[in-house]
Amino acid sequence: MKETIENIRTEFLGWDLKDAAALEQFRIRFLGSKGLIKDLFGALKDVPGDQKREAGQLVNALRAEIEAYFDENKQRLESSSTKAEKLDFSRPAATRPIGSRHPLSLVRSQIIEIFSRIGYAVSEGPEIEDDWHNFTALNFPPEHPARDMQDTFFIEKGEKELALRTHTSSVQVRVMENSTPPIRTISPGRVYRNEAISARAHCFFHQVEGLYIDKDVSFADLKQTLLYFAKEMFGEKATIRMRPSYFPFTEPSAEVDVSCTICNASGCNVCKHSGWLEILGCGMVDPNVLDACGIDSKVYSGFAFGMGIERIAQLKYRVNDLRLYSENDIRFLKQFTGGF
Ligand code: DAH
């Protein structure tokens, strides 16, 4: 009996189960109703009583081995045949997601592009600034509240006090110190303020500063430049209005509103039914600032403006929570495709 079992084992392991037909032959020969396993079970009755138990176990083990071998090969053949049948060479290739630009990047690029068309160059400055460039040269009096610890992140105390810049106006100082008029430049960058983070305030955000210095630059030039910007950014129908304001580094100063792009100035929630949305601060560069930066205020005049990139993006894309810009939530970011 043992010898027969060994012979059957050697035989079944030698079978080449290369296709469904071979598999069926195999099944009939070993597992079929007239197969070798069936014969073995039949032969058990002739085995002497004291060896029956052991012989029965051996036959059972052999059957399990053959069945496993059969199943294994059956599966292999099935999966390879279905794979071949399912191949569809006409199917378009899967597209690769290529990501999208951050909304602040899109708006920043668009602002740069709009101003570069009228001759503005891009300039950048450091995010870690000294008091001179962030405040003093910009005509902030020593006791001005913006210098306060509550607004400014001071990062070093010592001989030279450094801080994270609170606005990109610091870059206009650096540009004026290092070049001679005519100057036409915009300075995009990140700024920091010591604010509690909420939907409407953040401890860092982005601004674009603009500066134009030449002989005989007037407030009319400023107004026309900003009107051009508003139309390019928000569409031909956009208009602007200027409200008197105060900044230490400009005189006179103004805040600029654009006609509400959402309701076409007819009044809605976003513009609080006024028809206007505030977009930037501006003014004629204060002669004190020109002189502090080495530009003769008797010869030259100029204007400056500063806008928040988040604010423009909010109006363009109706994003009402500032925190979304820095949370890296893919569901938010993937909505901004195309453009710049
Ligand atoms: N620096 C101002 C701020 O951070 C924005 C600003 C206002 C910039 C008027 C200017 C300007 O250049 O003329 O809020």
Side-chain angles (χ1 to χ4, degrees):
M1 186 88 182
K2 271 190 192 159
E3 209 187 309
T4 321
I5 289 175
E6 266 327 300
N7 288 342
I8 295 176
R9 177 174 284 117
T10 317
E11 188 195 328
F12 95 76
L13 287 171
W15 271 59
D16 177 16
L17 301 176
K18 61 180 187 311
D19 55 22
L23 196 69
E24 182 57 8
Q25 291 293 316
F26 179 91
R27 190 190 64 76
I28 293 168
R29 173 148 181 80
F30 296 97
L31 303 167
S33 55
K34 290 179 185 144
L36 293 175
I37 291 293
K38 180 89 181 179
D39 290 351
L40 275 181
F41 276 114
L44 276 178
K45 67 177 186 305
D46 303 328
V47 175
D50 58 337
Q51 294 168 28
K52 258 201 176 70
R53 196 178 141 85
E54 197 200 343
Q57 282 171 350
L58 288 174
V59 179
N60 269 326
L62 178 66
R63 183 176 61 182
E65 268 179 66
I66 295 178
E67 281 175 352
Y69 189 70
F70 175 82
D71 287 345
E72 201 177 281
N73 280 282
K74 191 174 169 196
Q75 261 180 28
R76 176 180 58 80
L77 288 171
E78 273 174 4
S79 70
S80 60
S81 69
T82 46
K83 229 186 246 165
E85 278 159 22
K86 279 186 185 160
L87 273 185
D88 175 0
F89 293 104
S90 66
R91 200 174 146 190
T95 52
R96 261 166 199 272
I98 53 165
S100 54
R101 304 233 5 229
H102 193 280
L104 296 180
S105 263
L106 292 173
V107 172
R108 177 185 185 274
S109 305
Q110 200 182 348
I111 296 171
I112 291 174
E113 196 271 333
I114 290 171
F115 281 103
S116 73
R117 266 189 267 148
I118 53 170
Y120 281 71
V122 174
S123 49
E124 285 180 348
E127 292 182 17
I128 297 173
E129 264 301 5
D130 50 31
D131 179 90
W132 170 257
H133 292 95
N134 200 76
F135 295 124
T136 304
L138 288 164
N139 206 29
F140 279 81
E143 71 286 358
H144 194 282
R147 292 171 180 250
D148 202 290
M149 285 295 275
Q150 275 143 37
D151 279 315
T152 308
F153 284 119
F154 291 98
I155 56 171
E156 208 169 286
K157 287 251 177 204
E159 242 170 65
K160 201 170 184 192
E161 199 168 82
L162 295 173
L164 296 178
R165 67 180 176 196
T166 57
H167 53 182
T168 45
S169 303
S170 56
V171 188
Q172 52 161 289
V173 176
R174 289 182 176 272
V175 172
M176 283 191 274
E177 283 174 339
N178 294 310
S179 41
T180 45
I183 297 169
R184 258 191 241 105
T185 186
I186 52 167
S187 320
R190 181 173 284 185
V191 302
Y192 301 83
R193 288 189 201 168
N194 195 352
E195 301 253 13
I197 296 172
S198 72
R200 262 165 285 129
H202 211 291
C203 58
F204 66 80
F205 52 98
H206 302 81
Q207 290 186 332
V208 176
E209 186 77 11
L211 180 70
Y212 178 28
I213 311 279
D214 202 348
K215 288 177 181 153
D216 302 323
V217 176
S218 72
F219 202 90
D221 297 322
L222 170 61
K223 191 175 173 192
Q224 195 56 34
T225 302
L226 296 178
L227 179 62
Y228 157 78
F229 167 73
K231 286 185 184 296
E232 293 299 312
M233 185 51 111
F234 297 108
E236 189 47 40
K237 281 199 204 130
T239 52
I240 57 167
R241 74 173 182 186
M242 296 177 120
R243 287 178 286 105
S245 185
Y246 172 77
F247 300 102
F249 34 92
T250 43
E251 181 57 37
S253 303
E255 270 165 329
V256 175
D257 299 338
V258 65
S259 51
C260 183
T261 47
I262 291 157
C263 62
N264 268 330
S266 62
C268 69
N269 279 344
V270 181
C271 63
K272 299 197 186 81
H273 300 280
S274 70
W276 296 101
L277 300 159
E278 187 185 325
I279 53 164
L280 56 85
C282 65
M284 302 306 292
V285 180
D286 192 299
N288 288 344
V289 175
L290 293 174
D291 292 332
C293 299
I295 290 177
D296 189 345
S297 61
K298 290 190 189 69
V299 181
Y300 294 104
S301 59
F303 62 71
F305 55 88
M307 66 184 96
I309 301 184
E310 279 83 351
R311 174 71 176 155
I312 307 287
Q314 177 197 17
L315 299 178
K316 254 189 109 68
Y317 300 119
R318 322 240 170 118
V319 176
N320 282 323
D321 191 330
L322 277 178
R323 291 168 293 196
L324 287 166
Y325 291 118
S326 49
E327 276 171 353
N328 279 342
D329 187 330
I330 200 97
R331 293 166 302 178
F332 171 70
L333 296 175
K334 76 178 178 191
Q335 297 175 59
F336 302 91
T337 48
F340 294 88

